Amino acid sequence: MELTKEKIREIIAKRVAQEFKDGDVVNLGIGLPTEVANYIPDSIYVALQSENGLIGMGPTPTEAEADCRISNAGGSLVTIAPGGCFFDSFTSFGIIRGGHVDATVLGALQVDEKGNLANWMVPGKMVPGMGGAMDLVVGAKKVIIAMEHTAKGSPKILKNCTLPLTAANEVNLIVTEKGVLEVTEKGLVLKELSPFSSVEDIIATTEATIIVDDNLKTMEV
């Protein structure tokens, strides 16, 4: 089954949102990770933090709700839930570096089986910089990568990253449209399989060695 870009993003965002617990402080990176905010269950409260100085963000605003003065670190307009607040970058990075962020969700160019992450630069291309990613992956208690499984058919989950690293050995969980992989001391363990994929498909589109969990589950998407 051929999935649209929109469906792929929805599958990933919905599954990532299931990782949070009531009261968690969570930082969502730019791009696909911001869509996770739309799928957090109403039964729990998650304080969404942005490194430019916001905490308590709500879902993506409608055109009527959008306020050009309120944006996340990526420049996208956001909503603020009741109780949310604003502060300076010094305070924001104090929260991150102080270990007060329970989870961060980031996109990636490459991830490898050791939990290394490359998500900020392709050599020879102009980039705005690493942003807060380096602090987030080291400071957050849990690092979740939310990304498409491949890029133009080429694997993004590798034995060893070939691009400049954002951080080494910090990734805990990888969520793609094909499945959920946990980074362990033994390697990458396939914990959940998407209804739109197969074990054979994941192995064929992943350069890293895959260990299939004995209790492999189906992703709830």
Side-chain angles (χ1 to χ4, degrees):
M1 176 181 176
E2 187 75 22
L3 298 174
T4 64
K5 278 276 189 183
E6 291 75 17
K7 184 62 177 177
I8 287 172
R9 294 170 74 91
E10 178 188 318
I11 290 169
I12 297 168
K14 276 185 176 178
R15 177 57 189 83
V16 171
Q18 296 168 24
E19 286 297 307
F20 309 141
K21 305 185 301 294
D22 189 46
D24 276 354
V25 175
V26 175
N27 182 288
L28 302 179
I30 62 174
L32 192 162
T34 61
E35 298 183 22
V36 173
N38 299 324
Y39 300 106
I40 296 173
D42 293 335
S43 57
I44 65 172
Y45 173 71
V46 174
L48 297 177
Q49 187 255 2
S50 182
E51 56 266 39
N52 60 323
L54 309 177
I55 196 164
M57 290 183 292
T60 303
T62 63
E63 189 172 336
E65 293 171 329
D67 185 332
C68 63
R69 300 169 298 175
I70 307 175
S71 66
N72 62 20
S76 299
L77 299 183
V78 296
T79 58
I80 298 294
C85 61
F86 306 87
F87 36 82
D88 58 21
S89 292
F90 179 85
T91 302
S92 190
F93 277 87
I95 293 170
I96 294 167
R97 295 172 182 172
H100 304 293
V101 175
D102 294 292
T104 184
V105 184
L106 299 164
L109 297 169
Q110 296 177 343
V111 185
D112 69 27
E113 59 191 27
K114 302 175 190 66
N116 297 327
L117 168 66
N119 79 337
W120 75 284
M121 189 178 86
V122 177
K125 292 192 177 183
M126 292 292 289
V127 292
M130 191 177 287
M134 182 172 62
D135 292 277
L136 284 161
V137 292
V138 174
K141 295 170 187 171
K142 186 172 186 176
V143 177
I144 303 169
I145 299 304
M147 67 176 192
E148 291 189 38
H149 203 90
T150 60
K152 298 180 179 178
S154 298
K156 296 175 69 176
I157 305 174
L158 311 175
K159 287 186 175 295
N160 294 286
C161 290
T162 59
L163 295 173
L165 295 185
T166 306
N169 311 117
E170 294 290 348
V171 174
N172 301 112
L173 201 69
I174 304 166
V175 180
T176 78
E177 77 280 12
K178 294 177 185 280
V180 178
L181 297 118
E182 183 180 358
V183 181
T184 74
E185 291 182 357
K186 296 179 181 179
L188 289 181
V189 178
L190 179 63
K191 306 288 286 187
E192 297 181 23
L193 182 66
S194 167
F196 305 102
S197 186
S198 66
V199 172
E200 293 75 20
D201 177 38
I202 287 185
I203 291 173
T205 54
T206 306
E207 185 195 273
T209 301
I210 299 294
I211 303 166
V212 180
D213 193 283
D214 291 336
N215 299 308
L216 182 64
K217 298 177 181 178
T218 301
M219 280 174 68
E220 294 183 19
V221 293

